[in-house]
Amino acid sequence: MTSETTRLSGRVLIAEDNKGIAFFYGAVLEDLGYEVVGLAATVAEAETLAASVEADLALLDIQLGDGHSYGAARAAVERGMAVVFTTGYDDPPDMPSDLRGLRCLTKPLSTDDLKAAVQRSISAS
């Protein structure tokens, strides 16, 4: 009997200013069956995409090169998207109280951590 990998589905927006990390996230998610519908590297790009693309989840690096992605997170939540933050900090910087309940993963992420967080977040939304 052959074991098949379960294909997942959903549309994901990624905001990450490190191109290598963004590529890793995108490749892992697409391999799992998710569709990456937008990539942002700046706060403005993340906020624009969160306010305009149809997605099930926003995967947001908290600290982009030009600021925090908190505005994009609020826009995503307002539009019904699940949000997963990523950060290199043990304690995310200046996390607003209204966003503290969102899932937050500490980098570096393993493929399994990324898969589990995205799957749980999309299922819960």
Side-chain angles (χ1 to χ4, degrees), residues 2 33 54-55 68 70 84 108 112 125:
T2 305
E54 293 300 321
H68 295 118
Y70 300 140
V84 174
D112 289 340
S125 65

Side-chain angles (χ1 to χ4, degrees), residues 19-103:
K19 289 180 184 180
I21 294 173
F23 178 79
F24 167 73
Y25 293 165
V28 167
L29 294 172
E30 288 175 348
D31 284 348
L32 293 170
Y34 293 102
E35 178 184 0
V36 176
V37 295
L39 289 171
T42 67
V43 170
E45 290 171 350
E47 290 176 350
T48 297
L49 288 173
S52 63
V53 301
E54 293 300 321
D56 301 297
L57 179 127
L59 181 65
L60 307 173
D61 180 11
I62 288 177
Q63 183 64 54
L64 297 171
D66 61 342
H68 295 118
S69 64
Y70 300 140
R74 287 187 180 101
V77 168
E78 286 175 11
R79 297 189 64 232
M81 288 179 223
V83 173
V84 174
F85 284 120
T86 63
T87 183
Y89 299 98
D90 289 331
D91 185 24
D94 305 320
M95 176 71 81
S97 61
D98 63 318
L99 300 177
R100 287 203 177 268
L102 299 175
R103 189 174 314 277

Side-chain angles (χ1 to χ4, degrees), residues 7-23:
R7 298 289 292 171
L8 305 171
S9 65
R11 298 164 55 89
V12 180
L13 157 67
I14 299 171
E16 171 58 63
D17 58 333
N18 180 303
K19 289 180 184 180
I21 294 173
F23 178 79

